[in-house]
Amino acid sequence: MARDSSDSAIEAEQLRLELRLLQLEAQSRAQRNFIDFAKYVWPAAIIGSHHQRMANAFDRVANGSLKRLIINMGPRHTKSEFSSYLLPAYAMGRKPDLKIIQATHTGELAVRFGRKVRNLMDTETYKEVFPDAVLKADSKAAGRWDTNHGGEYFAVGVGGAMTGRGADLLIIDDPHSEQDAMSPLALDNAWEWYTSGPRQRLQPGAAIVVCMTRWSTKDLTARLIKAQASHN
Protein backbone atom coordinates (compact mmCIF):
# COMPACT_ATOMS: atom_id res chain seq x y z
CA MET A 1 0.00 0.00 0.00
CA ALA A 2 1.33 3.43 -0.91
CA ARG A 3 2.19 5.58 2.03
CA ASP A 4 -0.08 8.52 2.67
CA SER A 5 1.63 11.82 1.82
CA SER A 6 0.49 13.25 5.15
CA ASP A 7 2.43 10.51 6.99
CA SER A 8 5.57 11.39 5.04
CA ALA A 9 5.11 15.06 5.86
CA ILE A 10 4.68 14.29 9.56
CA GLU A 11 7.85 12.16 9.60
CA ALA A 12 9.80 14.84 7.75
CA GLU A 13 8.68 17.49 10.23
CA GLN A 14 9.53 15.20 13.15
CA LEU A 15 13.02 14.65 11.72
CA ARG A 16 13.47 18.38 11.24
CA LEU A 17 12.49 19.07 14.85
CA GLU A 18 14.80 16.34 16.15
CA LEU A 19 17.73 17.77 14.18
CA ARG A 20 16.91 21.25 15.43
CA LEU A 21 16.85 19.98 19.01
CA LEU A 22 20.26 18.36 18.55
CA GLN A 23 21.61 21.63 17.17
CA LEU A 24 20.23 23.63 20.10
CA GLU A 25 21.74 21.15 22.56
CA ALA A 26 25.11 21.43 20.80
CA GLN A 27 24.91 25.22 20.95
CA SER A 28 24.08 25.10 24.65
CA ARG A 29 27.08 22.86 25.37
CA ALA A 30 29.31 25.15 23.28
CA GLN A 31 28.28 28.13 25.39
CA ARG A 32 29.36 26.38 28.59
CA ASN A 33 32.32 24.17 27.65
CA PHE A 34 35.40 25.13 25.70
CA ILE A 35 35.89 21.71 24.11
CA ASP A 36 32.30 21.70 22.84
CA PHE A 37 32.80 25.22 21.49
CA ALA A 38 35.93 24.05 19.66
CA LYS A 39 34.05 21.15 18.11
CA TYR A 40 31.13 23.37 17.09
CA VAL A 41 33.11 26.06 15.31
CA TRP A 42 35.89 23.75 14.09
CA PRO A 43 34.21 20.42 13.23
CA ALA A 44 37.31 19.09 11.46
CA ALA A 45 39.50 19.42 14.56
CA ILE A 46 41.07 16.20 15.80
CA ILE A 47 40.77 16.31 19.59
CA GLY A 48 43.38 14.53 21.70
CA SER A 49 43.72 14.03 25.44
CA HIS A 50 46.04 17.04 25.73
CA HIS A 51 43.37 19.23 24.11
CA GLN A 52 40.88 18.10 26.73
CA ARG A 53 43.29 19.06 29.51
CA MET A 54 43.81 22.47 27.94
CA ALA A 55 40.05 22.89 27.53
CA ASN A 56 39.39 22.07 31.18
CA ALA A 57 41.90 24.71 32.23
CA PHE A 58 40.48 27.27 29.81
CA ASP A 59 37.01 26.72 31.27
CA ARG A 60 38.38 27.53 34.71
CA VAL A 61 39.94 30.70 33.30
CA ALA A 62 36.66 31.65 31.60
CA ASN A 63 34.58 31.15 34.76
CA GLY A 64 37.07 33.07 36.90
CA SER A 65 38.28 30.24 39.13
CA LEU A 66 41.80 30.15 37.60
CA LYS A 67 43.83 33.35 37.30
CA ARG A 68 47.29 32.10 36.35
CA LEU A 69 47.90 29.34 33.83
CA ILE A 70 51.09 28.12 32.13
CA ILE A 71 50.92 25.46 29.42
CA ASN A 72 54.18 24.06 28.05
CA MET A 73 53.91 21.96 24.93
CA GLY A 74 56.04 21.04 21.94
CA PRO A 75 55.44 22.44 18.45
CA ARG A 76 52.67 21.12 16.22
CA HIS A 77 50.27 20.22 19.03
CA THR A 78 47.60 22.81 18.07
CA LYS A 79 48.38 24.84 21.17
CA SER A 80 48.27 28.17 19.33
CA GLU A 81 44.98 27.35 17.60
CA PHE A 82 43.47 26.68 21.01
CA SER A 83 45.08 29.48 23.03
CA SER A 84 45.34 32.29 20.46
CA TYR A 85 42.41 31.54 18.16
CA LEU A 86 39.64 29.70 19.99
CA LEU A 87 40.21 30.90 23.57
CA PRO A 88 39.82 34.65 22.83
CA ALA A 89 36.67 33.99 20.80
CA TYR A 90 35.22 31.74 23.51
CA ALA A 91 36.06 34.12 26.35
CA MET A 92 34.69 37.13 24.47
CA GLY A 93 31.53 35.21 23.61
CA ARG A 94 30.89 34.39 27.26
CA LYS A 95 31.66 37.94 28.34
CA PRO A 96 31.35 40.44 25.45
CA ASP A 97 32.70 43.32 27.58
CA LEU A 98 36.00 41.51 28.19
CA LYS A 99 39.29 43.30 27.51
CA ILE A 100 41.88 40.96 25.96
CA ILE A 101 45.55 41.54 25.19
CA GLN A 102 47.02 38.84 22.95
CA ALA A 103 50.80 38.67 22.59
CA THR A 104 53.24 36.48 20.71
CA HIS A 105 56.87 36.80 19.64
CA THR A 106 56.18 39.05 16.64
CA GLY A 107 53.60 41.72 16.02
CA GLU A 108 52.83 40.26 12.59
CA LEU A 109 51.91 36.89 14.05
CA ALA A 110 49.84 38.51 16.82
CA VAL A 111 47.86 40.50 14.24
CA ARG A 112 47.36 37.33 12.18
CA PHE A 113 45.73 35.67 15.18
CA GLY A 114 43.66 38.80 15.78
CA ARG A 115 42.37 38.57 12.23
CA LYS A 116 41.43 34.91 12.68
CA VAL A 117 39.56 35.61 15.93
CA ARG A 118 37.74 38.57 14.39
CA ASN A 119 36.79 36.60 11.29
CA LEU A 120 35.54 33.68 13.39
CA MET A 121 33.35 35.99 15.47
CA ASP A 122 31.85 37.35 12.25
CA THR A 123 30.67 33.91 11.08
CA GLU A 124 27.11 32.66 11.34
CA THR A 125 28.36 29.53 13.10
CA TYR A 126 29.87 31.59 15.91
CA LYS A 127 26.78 33.80 16.15
CA GLU A 128 24.64 30.69 16.61
CA VAL A 129 26.54 30.06 19.85
CA PHE A 130 27.18 33.62 21.04
CA PRO A 131 24.65 35.96 19.39
CA ASP A 132 25.38 38.81 21.83
CA ALA A 133 29.11 39.07 21.00
CA VAL A 134 28.83 41.51 18.11
CA LEU A 135 31.82 43.32 16.63
CA LYS A 136 31.59 47.10 16.58
CA ALA A 137 31.10 48.18 12.97
CA ASP A 138 33.62 51.04 13.05
CA SER A 139 36.35 49.10 14.88
CA LYS A 140 37.37 45.98 13.00
CA ALA A 141 41.12 46.32 12.36
CA ALA A 142 42.77 42.90 12.35
CA GLY A 143 44.80 43.40 15.51
CA ARG A 144 42.65 45.93 17.28
CA TRP A 145 38.88 45.70 17.47
CA ASP A 146 35.98 46.27 19.86
CA THR A 147 32.56 44.77 20.58
CA ASN A 148 29.27 46.60 20.95
CA HIS A 149 29.38 45.77 24.67
CA GLY A 150 32.65 47.57 25.35
CA GLY A 151 34.91 44.57 24.90
CA GLU A 152 38.36 45.17 23.46
CA TYR A 153 40.92 42.99 21.68
CA PHE A 154 44.50 44.15 21.19
CA ALA A 155 47.25 42.13 19.50
CA VAL A 156 50.88 42.95 20.19
CA GLY A 157 54.30 41.46 19.60
CA VAL A 158 56.80 40.98 22.42
CA GLY A 159 58.46 44.35 22.87
CA GLY A 160 55.48 46.24 21.48
CA ALA A 161 53.84 49.20 23.23
CA MET A 162 50.40 48.97 24.87
CA THR A 163 49.79 52.55 25.92
CA GLY A 164 46.25 53.07 27.14
CA ARG A 165 45.33 49.39 27.05
CA GLY A 166 44.01 47.28 29.90
CA ALA A 167 43.43 43.53 30.13
CA ASP A 168 40.95 41.28 31.90
CA LEU A 169 42.63 38.41 30.04
CA LEU A 170 46.26 38.44 28.97
CA ILE A 171 47.24 35.63 26.58
CA ILE A 172 50.93 35.15 25.80
CA ASP A 173 51.54 32.52 23.16
CA ASP A 174 55.13 31.51 22.33
CA PRO A 175 56.85 34.73 23.48
CA HIS A 176 60.20 33.36 22.26
CA SER A 177 61.07 32.18 18.80
CA GLU A 178 63.40 29.22 18.47
CA GLN A 179 66.16 31.67 17.59
CA ASP A 180 65.53 33.67 20.78
CA ALA A 181 66.54 30.64 22.82
CA MET A 182 70.10 31.12 21.60
CA SER A 183 70.20 34.74 22.73
CA PRO A 184 70.39 35.59 26.44
CA LEU A 185 69.72 39.21 25.50
CA ALA A 186 66.47 38.31 23.70
CA LEU A 187 65.31 36.29 26.72
CA ASP A 188 66.17 39.17 29.05
CA ASN A 189 64.33 41.63 26.80
CA ALA A 190 61.20 39.46 26.77
CA TRP A 191 61.17 39.33 30.58
CA GLU A 192 61.74 43.06 30.87
CA TRP A 193 58.91 43.70 28.41
CA TYR A 194 56.57 41.43 30.36
CA THR A 195 57.29 42.99 33.75
CA SER A 196 57.13 46.59 32.53
CA GLY A 197 54.42 46.15 29.89
CA PRO A 198 51.51 43.68 29.91
CA ARG A 199 51.76 42.78 33.60
CA GLN A 200 51.21 46.46 34.41
CA ARG A 201 48.10 46.51 32.21
CA LEU A 202 46.09 43.98 34.18
CA GLN A 203 42.64 44.93 35.42
CA PRO A 204 41.65 43.86 38.97
CA GLY A 205 41.02 40.11 38.99
CA ALA A 206 42.57 39.63 35.55
CA ALA A 207 43.80 36.25 34.31
CA ILE A 208 47.09 35.44 32.57
CA VAL A 209 47.50 32.49 30.21
CA VAL A 210 50.99 31.62 28.98
CA CYS A 211 51.17 28.88 26.37
CA MET A 212 54.62 28.14 24.96
CA THR A 213 57.24 25.72 23.81
CA ARG A 214 60.22 25.55 26.15
CA TRP A 215 63.50 26.41 24.47
CA SER A 216 65.63 27.53 27.41
CA THR A 217 65.99 27.28 31.16
CA LYS A 218 65.90 31.08 31.22
CA ASP A 219 62.71 31.55 29.23
CA LEU A 220 59.50 33.24 30.36
CA THR A 221 58.10 30.08 31.94
CA ALA A 222 61.23 29.60 34.05
CA ARG A 223 61.24 33.18 35.24
CA LEU A 224 57.54 33.19 36.04
CA ILE A 225 57.88 30.02 38.11
CA LYS A 226 60.91 31.48 39.89
CA ALA A 227 59.11 34.76 40.58
CA GLN A 228 56.07 32.87 41.89
CA ALA A 229 58.22 30.74 44.20
CA SER A 230 59.85 33.85 45.64
CA HIS A 231 56.43 35.21 46.61
CA ASN A 232 55.35 32.01 48.38
Side-chain angles (χ1 to χ4, degrees), residues 83-129:
S83 61
S84 293
Y85 173 47
L86 297 178
L87 176 58
Y90 177 69
M92 193 72 84
R94 288 175 55 119
K95 192 176 180 184
D97 62 347
L98 202 68
K99 292 175 171 53
I100 298 175
I101 291 179
Q102 163 78 55
T104 189
H105 55 272
T106 67
E108 179 184 0
L109 182 58
V111 169
R112 192 184 311 165
F113 280 124
R115 182 179 294 108
K116 288 188 66 173
V117 178
R118 179 202 64 187
N119 290 349
L120 172 60
M121 291 179 63
D122 236 359
T123 64
E124 290 305 315
T125 301
Y126 180 87
K127 293 173 183 178
E128 289 170 0
V129 179

Side-chain angles (χ1 to χ4, degrees), residues 25-41:
E25 290 174 346
Q27 290 170 6
S28 179
R29 291 193 301 271
Q31 292 168 355
R32 303 189 310 271
N33 300 295
F34 179 88
I35 202 70
D36 290 302
F37 171 76
K39 293 175 181 177
Y40 195 92
V41 300

Side-chain angles (χ1 to χ4, degrees), residues 47-114:
I47 306 298
S49 59
H50 65 291
H51 295 123
Q52 185 64 65
R53 293 185 66 183
M54 290 177 70
N56 292 342
F58 288 164
D59 277 325
R60 293 176 60 201
V61 170
N63 66 31
S65 63
L66 181 62
K67 300 297 185 181
R68 299 292 184 269
L69 172 64
I70 297 176
I71 297 174
N72 296 143
M73 196 178 297
R76 312 303 300 172
H77 280 72
T78 326
K79 68 179 185 303
S80 291
E81 293 299 304
F82 266 52
S83 61
S84 293
Y85 173 47
L86 297 178
L87 176 58
Y90 177 69
M92 193 72 84
R94 288 175 55 119
K95 192 176 180 184
D97 62 347
L98 202 68
K99 292 175 171 53
I100 298 175
I101 291 179
Q102 163 78 55
T104 189
H105 55 272
T106 67
E108 179 184 0
L109 182 58
V111 169
R112 192 184 311 165
F113 280 124

Side-chain angles (χ1 to χ4, degrees), residues 92 96-97 121 131-140 145-152:
M92 193 72 84
D97 62 347
M121 291 179 63
D132 292 333
V134 178
L135 297 176
K136 198 172 179 181
D138 61 350
S139 178
K140 288 189 178 183
W145 42 263
D146 303 332
T147 72
N148 280 344
H149 292 267
E152 299 176 359

